[in-house]
Amino acid sequence: MTITIWHNAKCSTSRKVLEMIRAKGIEPTIVDYVNTPPSAAAIRSVLEEMGARPRDLLRRRGTPYDELGLDDETLGDAALIAAMHAHPILIERPVVRSPKGTRLCRPPERLEDIL
């Protein structure tokens, strides 16, 4: 089974989800998305797979969310996705993609239904 995790090693939730995947005997493809930002197309693809909107994947705490004015409800999806691409720390983590689906695994228990 091919599993990919958009991972931030500084995040305890992301580390826990990675441990949970490995505990199942799976070595996932790890994408250090902060240092290797996903393209806008990849972000759109993940959102589509999750059935989510860009705001569902935006992280506020510890990010430039406020200084970029991302709380402006008039900003469209393209602008939010562009901001996430330019500032990948804005992407909530961890995102896990598997053949059974794609999930934002926050809380970590959300991983179970896609393994």
Side-chain angles (χ1 to χ4, degrees), residues 4-34:
T4 301
I5 180 173
W6 288 7
H7 179 61
N8 181 342
K10 294 179 182 177
C11 172
S12 61
T13 301
S14 194
R15 289 192 309 268
K16 181 174 183 177
V17 168
L18 180 57
E19 287 174 19
M20 290 169 67
I21 294 168
R22 287 178 169 160
K24 296 281 188 182
I26 301 166
E27 184 55 38
T29 300
I30 300 171
V31 176
D32 178 356
Y33 74 94
V34 174

Side-chain angles (χ1 to χ4, degrees), residues 6 38-47 49 97:
W6 288 7
S39 67
I43 295 168
R44 275 192 301 278
S45 180
V46 158
L47 288 167
E49 291 167 17
R97 299 170 101 175

Side-chain angles (χ1 to χ4, degrees), residues 45-100:
S45 180
V46 158
L47 288 167
E48 185 176 309
E49 291 167 17
M50 292 187 331
R53 302 292 309 250
R55 288 198 184 278
D56 299 330
L57 199 56
L58 272 175
R59 180 174 179 82
R60 270 190 105 140
R61 197 176 75 209
T63 74
Y65 180 96
D66 290 325
E67 73 184 54
L68 293 172
L70 298 178
D71 59 345
D72 180 351
E73 294 295 326
T74 65
L75 290 174
D77 290 354
L80 297 174
I81 290 169
M84 285 188 270
H85 172 67
H87 306 276
I89 197 68
L90 287 166
I91 301 171
E92 189 64 87
R93 73 270 184 167
V95 173
V96 178
R97 299 170 101 175
S98 84
K100 293 183 179 180

